[in-house]
Amino acid sequence: MSNLIEITDSPELVSTKDYPYAKWDFEQFNCVQSSLIPYFDKDVNGIVAASTSAGKTVCSELFLAHEIRKRKGKGMMLVPIRALAQERYDDWTRKDHHFGDLNISICTGDYRLDKEKMQDVANSDIIIMTSEMLNSRSRNDSKQNSFIKSVKTLIIDESHLITTPGRGDHLEVGLIKFSEINPDARIILLSATMPNVKEIAQWINKLLPNKDCFILNSKYRPCPLNVHYEMYYDGENNYNKNEQEKVNKALDIIDYYPEDKFLVFVHTKKTGELVKKELLKANIETEFHNANLEKDKRIKLENRFKNDPKFRVIVATSTLACGLNLPARRVIITGIHRGIEEVEIYNINQMCGRAGRPRFDKAGDAYILVPASKANFYKDKLKKQENIESQLLKNDFGHYKVLAFHIVNEIFNKSIKTTEDIHEWYRKSLCYFQSKDLNESILDKTIALLKKRGVIYEYQGEWKASAVGKISSMYYFPPLDAADLKSNLINLVDNSLFENDYAISLLLGNLDSHKSGIISKSEKEEISIYSKKLDDMIAREGLKVFKNDASVKASYCYYNILNSLNSDNMSALMRTFQMDSPRALEVLKQIDKMDLKENLGSYLDKLLIRLQNGVPSHLVDLCFIKNIGKQRAKKLYENNIKNLNDFLSCPKDKLIKLLNLKEDKVEEIFADAKKLSLEKVLVD
């Protein structure tokens, strides 16, 4: 039986020269790192819970260097986001780093996982990977993923994010799978301080009962953090005015410290763009760091912030809160709400932790903007730490969708076959360990729902994934959403509604996930006319549809995208739908190819072009041409160039004038149009 070993910050600092497997450019380990010296060479699991900037990366290197150079095994570093994976890779592959002579591989969604890449991963000493990627790869028992079995030390950075909705469940399930594949591996969790760290350690002990587990719950922070609560006026019940008040308050703080670097965290991209606009107006250099930023631009931006003293401010969404080491003396968090929902306290704490640079600053300062009307309430609430809790049984709209997603994946990958297998798998989870909903009938209800929706079926006492279930697992797509896409597509086909934008918007918007969304009074008023016309179409065509206000809101967003219409209330959601459209359309194509077999590939390709460019159907042909988007297509159409043939027949000088481009660029576009025309002829 394994034991829990509780340790504390070491009162005596250990010289880095006493560690034989790596070299650092500082003389002594700090009290957190020194406390691990008795354990780095032991066959133990462990949790290091310590503040931001407490040197947890060096803690990971203590275990990894020993694994590779002494035990001759392979190491893996698990991180929550791609940007953090890239930062770790860039640091560890430097020639002057003590890992510089090792083969280090990065495996995230930014990289194409072809045969050559997977061979590089298999041959590496250290693999850097996101938790979603580990979950995906460990479920697939192909030869390409056999490298997971050779990992002997797994480091999980920012492990407290197991409590993050939409992300934590992948880490939890990935850990369960990894422990099955590698029961003898060491697992070291690095985390921010958390109140229930002992409970998490007990779960790790249950998951891997053959090893002791140490716990270090440290209070050390080399750069003291001062947290300030700044009030903004919220007297009027007006969202846009409140956002402007937050922005104004942020600018006041930045103006007050003209020599300091800032990270300004925002909770929506709309607010981020607003902050950036106001800072630029005030002649303050800034950029907006968010998930839409391409990898090369993201890296360039981060390096510039580190090295250019004139570049003072980065505006960022939560993508920068998770571990990225950027030199910000001060942090501003623009409010505690994302729309009408409160931002999680652990997320706020993550953002605060970015303030202050060890070796450079005597302290870090974080400014949390709170509404004046409830300032005391939120101050008290934010000072309390939240327990780390499993997200596996998150309940949306009466369905346990997260649980359903993972059950389907396990069935598809043949990890579980029977109902009892599902119960056994669940009993390994943190969710079960934390005694959430002891009644396991939830599992049986979820299985029954998946069967009813045609996602799984039973054959000779074993569960199998249907075509919809297979597609859901292959594309990491919510299974109940995939089932809805199939039902909606059948409605479209059976009633020949291919050209009806109300039916198309319903196809895309009336999904299980959207039904659990939130709709405000102003949004409900805005969609009322669309909703009435949608109901008229449903009644006229005799469609059997279950929808609610939230899914009608989603359908309305798709209708706007398809018809080049704007919405101040829902512009952020519309952008999200446009970004996600390639995956949704690929799922639809696979449903048609593997299940319905209606040969809808060409139609769905056109629908994707409409969604990505936000254009009505008459502009689609033009938007197939490379570098012809909505505005250029509209201008061409207005000048009687309405399709590919018209474009190819148009004199070059006229195209140069209409497109307002240089001749060489028009030549390039024209060549692409010719190629497109040839491909069309070959297909026909």
Side-chain angles (χ1 to χ4, degrees):
M1 183 68 184
S2 55
N3 299 308
L4 284 182
I5 306 166
E6 297 189 54
I7 62 177
T8 58
D9 293 334
S10 175
E12 295 182 8
L13 303 186
V14 177
S15 169
T16 55
K17 292 179 181 178
D18 293 340
Y19 181 83
Y21 308 111
K23 297 185 182 299
W24 287 273
D25 62 355
F26 51 91
E27 294 183 0
Q28 289 182 315
F29 294 116
N30 66 28
C31 60
V32 174
Q33 298 152 357
S34 295
S35 69
L36 301 184
I37 296 301
Y39 296 96
F40 74 83
D41 58 354
K42 301 292 189 299
D43 194 25
V44 293
N45 299 316
I47 300 181
V48 180
S51 300
T52 303
S53 75
K56 293 193 288 291
T57 299
V58 170
C59 295
S60 73
E61 292 172 359
L62 287 170
F63 287 91
L64 288 171
H66 172 260
E67 178 62 61
I68 296 156
R69 302 195 189 279
K70 176 65 176 178
R71 301 212 307 181
K72 307 301 180 184
K74 187 189 295 286
M76 179 182 284
M77 180 74 160
L78 214 59
V79 296
I81 59 173
R82 288 178 286 184
L84 185 53
Q86 188 67 49
E87 182 185 80
R88 190 62 55 242
Y89 177 80
D90 292 343
D91 184 34
W92 284 352
T93 54
R94 289 190 346 257
K95 288 183 179 180
D96 60 341
H97 195 278
H98 58 77
F99 283 164
D101 63 321
L102 300 178
N103 184 2
I104 298 175
S105 182
I106 183 170
C107 189
T108 71
D110 279 336
Y111 295 85
R112 187 181 173 194
L113 302 182
D114 54 19
K115 188 176 180 179
E116 184 179 349
K117 178 64 178 176
M118 295 315 298
Q119 188 62 45
D120 175 59
V121 171
N123 293 334
S124 61
D125 299 302
I126 299 176
I127 306 161
I128 303 169
M129 189 177 274
T130 56
S131 48
E132 282 89 352
M133 187 65 74
L134 175 65
N135 186 22
S136 174
R137 289 284 153 186
S138 61
R139 284 189 287 107
N140 191 329
D141 196 27
S142 69
K143 286 184 180 179
Q144 273 197 328
N145 298 318
S146 60
F147 68 88
I148 293 174
K149 294 180 182 178
S150 64
V151 173
K152 297 306 176 188
T153 293
L154 173 66
I155 308 290
I156 303 168
D157 200 12
E158 309 286 350
S159 60
H160 54 280
L161 295 180
I162 201 167
T163 198
T164 309
R167 175 169 284 162
D169 56 289
H170 297 286
L171 175 55
E172 180 177 348
V173 173
L175 265 175
I176 294 170
K177 194 65 184 175
F178 181 86
S179 68
E180 291 173 352
I181 296 171
N182 269 353
D184 296 325
R186 297 188 299 185
I187 296 181
I188 307 297
L189 288 83
L190 308 178
S191 167
T193 53
M194 50 183 170
N196 61 329
V197 62
K198 189 172 182 179
E199 181 183 44
I200 305 302
Q202 288 168 335
W203 174 59
I204 294 296
N205 258 9
K206 183 185 175 188
L207 207 57
L208 292 161
N210 298 326
K211 288 185 178 64
D212 291 340
C213 182
F214 69 81
I215 308 169
L216 172 61
N217 203 359
S218 173
K219 302 299 180 187
Y220 171 72
R221 196 181 196 275
C223 188
L225 177 65
N226 304 310
V227 178
H228 313 271
Y229 299 92
E230 297 286 339
M231 292 183 287
Y232 66 88
Y233 177 69
D234 65 327
E236 298 182 42
N237 189 21
N238 184 304
Y239 176 81
N240 290 330
K241 284 188 176 180
N242 286 345
E243 291 303 292
Q244 187 63 56
E245 287 290 335
K246 295 175 193 175
V247 173
N248 293 343
K249 177 62 72 173
L251 260 67
D252 287 344
I253 297 168
I254 293 168
D255 281 343
Y256 197 77
Y257 299 98
E259 302 301 318
D260 291 343
K261 292 205 171 201
F262 281 82
L263 291 177
V264 181
F265 285 109
V266 296
H267 308 307
T268 68
K269 288 173 185 170
K270 184 177 179 180
T271 303
E273 294 293 352
L274 181 59
V275 174
K276 178 183 174 181
K277 178 183 173 183
E278 294 295 332
L279 284 168
L280 292 174
K281 278 169 60 178
N283 293 318
I284 297 172
E285 283 193 64
T286 186
E287 289 290 349
F288 185 20
H289 189 296
N290 60 78
N292 292 350
L293 214 58
E294 294 176 3
K295 183 185 73 171
D296 292 344
K297 291 182 179 178
R298 191 174 66 221
I299 295 169
K300 186 177 179 181
L301 168 59
E302 291 162 7
N303 288 335
R304 186 179 163 216
F305 189 70
K306 290 175 183 177
N307 300 314
D308 184 353
K310 293 181 180 178
F311 184 40
R312 291 182 52 224
V313 183
I314 284 185
V315 182
T317 54
S318 58
T319 53
L320 261 182
C322 298
L324 280 177
N325 184 26
L326 290 178
R329 171 65 178 80
R330 302 177 191 275
V331 162
I332 300 173
I333 301 160
T334 56
I336 49 170
H337 287 86
R338 189 182 293 111
I340 61 175
E341 294 183 337
E342 289 183 9
V343 179
E344 303 85 356
I345 292 175
Y346 66 80
N347 215 330
I348 299 287
N349 290 336
Q350 281 279 118
M351 296 173 191
C352 288
R354 299 297 103 203
R357 302 166 297 170
R359 302 198 221 180
F360 296 99
D361 299 321
K362 293 181 179 179
D365 287 86
Y367 305 84
I368 306 173
L369 308 189
V370 296
S373 62
K374 293 184 177 179
N376 290 331
F377 170 79
Y378 283 117
K379 285 179 188 178
D380 292 339
K381 185 173 182 177
L382 289 164
K383 288 174 183 176
K384 297 175 183 175
Q385 280 195 313
E386 292 178 330
N387 278 347
I388 303 304
E389 295 187 345
S390 168
Q391 296 298 308
L392 200 56
L393 280 190
K394 189 181 178 191
N395 187 343
D396 278 333
F397 204 59
H399 298 157
Y400 294 91
K401 300 173 188 177
V402 174
L403 180 65
F405 173 82
H406 290 291
I407 287 174
V408 173
N409 284 333
E410 297 294 328
I411 290 171
F412 171 66
N413 289 288
K414 300 178 182 178
S415 301
I416 53 180
K417 297 178 180 179
T418 67
T419 300
E420 181 54 33
D421 288 343
I422 296 172
H423 283 261
E424 284 294 325
W425 166 81
Y426 173 67
R427 288 170 195 146
K428 296 177 183 177
S429 68
L430 175 62
C431 184
Y432 179 82
F433 185 79
Q434 291 183 320
S435 301
K436 286 188 175 180
D437 260 306
L438 286 172
N439 186 350
E440 289 186 43
S441 65
I442 286 170
L443 291 173
D444 299 315
K445 289 176 182 176
T446 303
I447 294 165
L449 176 62
L450 290 168
K451 180 182 178 182
K452 181 181 178 182
R453 297 303 314 278
V455 181
I456 60 174
Y457 64 93
E458 198 168 12
Y459 178 72
Q460 295 183 346
E462 293 187 356
W463 291 108
K464 309 284 185 183
S466 68
V468 167
K470 290 174 182 176
I471 293 162
S472 166
S473 187
M474 287 161 54
Y475 290 93
Y476 239 56
F477 201 81
L480 298 178
D481 286 0
D484 281 336
L485 281 176
K486 177 184 173 180
S487 299
N488 297 346
L489 189 57
I490 289 171
N491 269 337
L492 206 73
V493 171
D494 288 352
N495 296 278
S496 298
L497 296 171
F498 299 108
E499 305 305 320
N500 187 313
D501 282 355
Y502 288 97
I504 296 170
S505 63
L506 192 68
L507 159 73
L508 299 164
N510 194 37
L511 306 185
D512 185 78
S513 291
H514 298 153
K515 289 170 186 171
S516 59
I518 296 171
I519 181 166
S520 67
K521 184 179 178 181
S522 62
E523 289 172 340
K524 195 169 182 179
E525 288 173 359
E526 182 179 337
I527 70 172
S528 59
I529 295 173
Y530 166 83
S531 183
K532 174 67 170 60
K533 291 184 177 180
L534 185 66
D535 286 339
D536 290 345
M537 186 274 297
I538 291 170
R540 185 172 61 250
E541 301 296 339
L543 304 181
K544 291 182 180 179
V545 173
F546 170 70
K547 58 182 177 59
N548 64 5
D549 286 342
S551 66
V552 172
K553 169 186 165 180
S555 300
Y556 170 77
C557 288
Y558 277 110
Y559 183 86
N560 282 355
I561 294 167
L562 293 166
N563 290 279
S564 297
L565 300 173
N566 297 318
S567 167
D568 289 338
N569 283 326
M570 287 166 258
S571 58
L573 186 58
M574 287 168 60
R575 283 196 298 272
T576 298
F577 287 164
Q578 280 189 290
M579 285 175 56
D580 290 346
S581 60
R583 189 166 66 121
L585 266 293
E586 187 58 38
V587 168
L588 279 168
K589 287 176 78 171
Q590 292 301 323
I591 288 171
D592 177 52
K593 185 178 179 180
M594 295 171 62
D595 200 349
L596 302 186
K597 303 187 188 303
E598 294 285 344
N599 296 316
L600 300 175
S602 178
Y603 171 77
L604 294 171
D605 283 340
K606 288 183 178 181
L607 182 54
L608 177 59
I609 290 293
R610 286 192 68 186
L611 290 167
Q612 288 183 309
N613 291 278
V615 294
S617 56
H618 65 272
L619 296 180
V620 168
D621 282 354
L622 292 170
C623 288
F624 268 103
I625 304 170
K626 192 175 180 180
N627 290 316
I628 301 296
K630 178 168 67 175
Q631 298 305 325
R632 286 173 181 163
K634 186 178 177 182
K635 191 164 187 179
L636 290 169
Y637 196 89
E638 288 169 350
N639 284 273
N640 216 32
I641 302 169
K642 298 185 176 182
N643 52 44
L644 186 59
N645 289 335
D646 290 345
F647 186 88
L648 291 171
S649 302
C650 183
K652 296 275 182 67
D653 57 342
K654 184 177 180 180
L655 287 177
I656 291 169
K657 187 176 180 181
L658 286 174
L659 297 175
N660 194 26
L661 292 170
K662 291 182 179 179
E663 184 176 354
D664 59 341
K665 191 64 179 176
V666 172
E667 288 280 1
E668 186 182 317
I669 294 171
F670 196 82
D672 184 74
K674 272 187 176 180
K675 183 181 175 184
L676 201 61
S677 178
L678 179 61
E679 289 172 355
K680 192 174 179 183
V681 169
L682 291 173
V683 169
D684 293 342

